[in-house]
Amino acid sequence: MEAIRMLQIATYVFALTALGGIIMGWIRFSTGRNPPSWLAMGHGFLAAAGVTLLAYAVFALEAPAMALVSLLLFLGGSLGGVILNLHYHLNDKPLPKGIVVMHAVISVIAFILLYMAAFTGG
């Protein structure tokens, strides 16, 4: 499979992941409660699948350099997600809004770069 097609598939997976993230953010910010565990787990599993596809495209299929930057940012954003899940969500502590926002901002920037690499030849 060619690198650009793999990047496009990763983009679609991350778009689904982002939809879950938007729903979780809405729940956290509008109700003050944490989102349900099944939604957080689905979000994390989709993100891991997207990172795997992106890493394969970068390291095995010679994707554009912008895809590597996107991968590094997604990995950084994932660290925030892991902290939110393991330290706060699983211990029934409210998710800190600052970490939620930082996780989202990093992931949105990574998504934009991935989209540019996948659909504009970046």
Side-chain angles (χ1 to χ4, degrees), residues 3-47:
I4 295 301
R5 184 67 183 137
M6 184 67 76
L7 293 177
Q8 290 170 347
I9 294 168
T11 303
Y12 300 140
V13 171
F14 279 120
L16 287 173
T17 305
L19 180 61
I22 290 166
I23 293 168
M24 288 193 303
W26 178 79
I27 291 169
R28 177 65 186 107
F29 286 98
S30 69
T31 69
R33 294 180 294 122
N34 287 344
S37 291
W38 64 266
L39 185 56
M41 288 294 148
H43 176 74
F45 286 134
L46 280 173

Side-chain angles (χ1 to χ4, degrees), residues 21-109:
I22 290 166
I23 293 168
M24 288 193 303
W26 178 79
I27 291 169
R28 177 65 186 107
F29 286 98
S30 69
T31 69
R33 294 180 294 122
N34 287 344
S37 291
W38 64 266
L39 185 56
M41 288 294 148
H43 176 74
F45 286 134
L46 280 173
V51 164
T52 302
L53 292 169
L54 179 54
Y56 182 78
V58 166
F59 296 118
L61 301 177
E62 299 181 22
M66 193 177 300
L68 174 60
V69 176
S70 173
L71 174 62
L72 295 174
L73 286 170
F74 272 125
L75 289 172
S78 296
L79 180 61
V82 168
I83 290 168
L84 287 168
N85 188 28
L86 297 181
H87 186 70
Y88 295 97
H89 204 260
L90 290 179
N91 293 316
D92 267 342
K93 296 178 183 177
L95 302 177
K97 293 178 180 178
I99 298 176
V100 171
V101 169
M102 180 181 68
H103 171 69
V105 168
I106 291 170
S107 298
V108 166
I109 293 168

